[in-house]
Amino acid sequence: MFRRCVRHTLRSRDTLIISLLMPILVMLLFTYVFGGAIDVGGPYLDYVVPGIMLLCTGFGSSITATAVSTDMTRGSIDRFRTLPMFRQAVLAGHVAEGVVRNLAAIAIAVTVALALGYRPQAGPLGWLAALAIITLFVTAISWIAVALGLVAKNPEAAGGLTYAIMFIPYISSAFVQTTTMPEWLRGFADYQPATPVIDTVRGLLSSTGAGHHGPLAILWCVILATLGFASASAVFSRLSRR
């Protein structure tokens, strides 16, 4: 199922290229257009890269949700039901492909950032810890995307449902410090899932440490992964019995 999902993604080259390029374009936009007007107490590129990592996940979730919805609406699931296979293997294949694709997109974005002058101070352990947090978050979002793809009526609707995932990093500490936001908005920005994950990764890569953000980031990832997995499994089981 993983190899099947990878083949389908590689065949949709235009969608894949857009999902890989959009985070890079957003990084260039904020760094060179808005970055000069935003004071974060240091180089803006160093500040914005962790947020771009999560933005890659948001763009990638659209591909996952659309692929799942396509399977559900084109009869692929009916064919799989006739085979001697674990029923949830289809969903697991989409999640595994989504995780690998999103991590590849993040690696490309970080490579571009390094070429532009991004200089993280983390050692090997810091990079491994940051990678672990990012992987956990990507896995959680991939399960959420699978659940959205299952409940969508068609692939176009599935892509639209993931806009909320792509929008969340913008209302967080990804591009500006939350202290600059209005009080009513800061309350949401500080405690929604993206901010502790971004602050944790930023702290690990800058060698300042994750601080109190680390446990909250892990908790949010576990909650989202559990919610996505439970929802996807329940919806898929119900649809498969029809």
Side-chain angles (χ1 to χ4, degrees):
M1 290 296 102
F2 169 73
R3 290 196 299 269
R4 169 181 174 270
C5 292
V6 170
R7 288 197 297 270
H8 285 183
T9 299
L10 293 177
R11 289 171 184 169
S12 181
R13 295 180 181 177
D14 51 348
T15 303
L16 179 61
I17 291 174
I18 290 174
S19 68
L20 295 178
L21 287 181
M22 281 303 296
I24 296 175
L25 295 177
V26 172
M27 178 173 62
L28 294 175
L29 174 67
F30 274 88
T31 300
Y32 294 111
V33 178
F34 304 130
I38 302 175
D39 182 14
V40 293
Y44 186 72
L45 183 62
D46 292 351
Y47 181 87
V48 80
V49 168
I52 296 299
M53 294 181 182
L54 264 69
L55 202 63
C56 291
T57 304
F59 284 113
S61 65
S62 176
I63 298 178
T64 300
T66 301
V68 172
S69 181
T70 300
D71 278 349
M72 298 302 296
T73 56
R74 294 186 178 177
S76 300
I77 301 301
D78 294 334
R79 293 194 293 272
F80 291 141
R81 290 171 61 186
T82 65
L83 300 177
M85 57 179 288
F86 179 56
R87 182 177 298 175
Q88 272 72 19
V90 179
L91 304 185
H94 282 291
V95 170
E97 186 274 335
V99 170
V100 172
R101 171 170 37 78
N102 281 310
L103 290 179
I106 291 171
I108 293 173
V110 171
T111 300
V112 173
L114 290 171
L116 295 175
Y118 175 52
R119 295 296 180 265
Q121 304 299 317
L125 291 180
W127 276 101
L128 286 176
L131 178 61
I133 293 294
I134 287 294
T135 303
L136 186 59
F137 182 79
V138 169
T139 303
I141 294 301
S142 295
W143 275 113
I144 295 291
V146 167
L148 293 176
L150 289 172
V151 301
K153 298 298 183 182
N154 52 63
E156 292 76 14
L161 289 175
T162 58
Y163 281 139
I165 299 177
M166 290 186 281
F167 190 68
I168 284 179
Y170 290 98
I171 312 178
S172 70
S173 62
F175 301 106
V176 298
Q177 295 175 341
T178 59
T179 53
T180 64
M181 299 180 182
E183 196 66 29
W184 58 271
L185 185 59
R186 181 183 176 185
F188 171 79
D190 281 338
Y191 297 103
Q192 56 113 323
T195 294
V197 175
I198 293 170
D199 289 344
T200 298
V201 173
R202 184 178 289 130
L204 290 171
L205 295 182
S206 64
S207 295
T208 59
H212 67 280
H213 301 291
L216 186 58
I218 295 174
L219 178 62
W220 264 119
C221 290
V222 172
I223 291 175
L224 292 176
T226 302
L227 178 63
F229 175 78
S231 301
S233 298
V235 174
F236 187 71
S237 297
R238 176 173 57 83
L239 294 175
S240 297
R241 289 194 295 268
R242 291 182 177 179

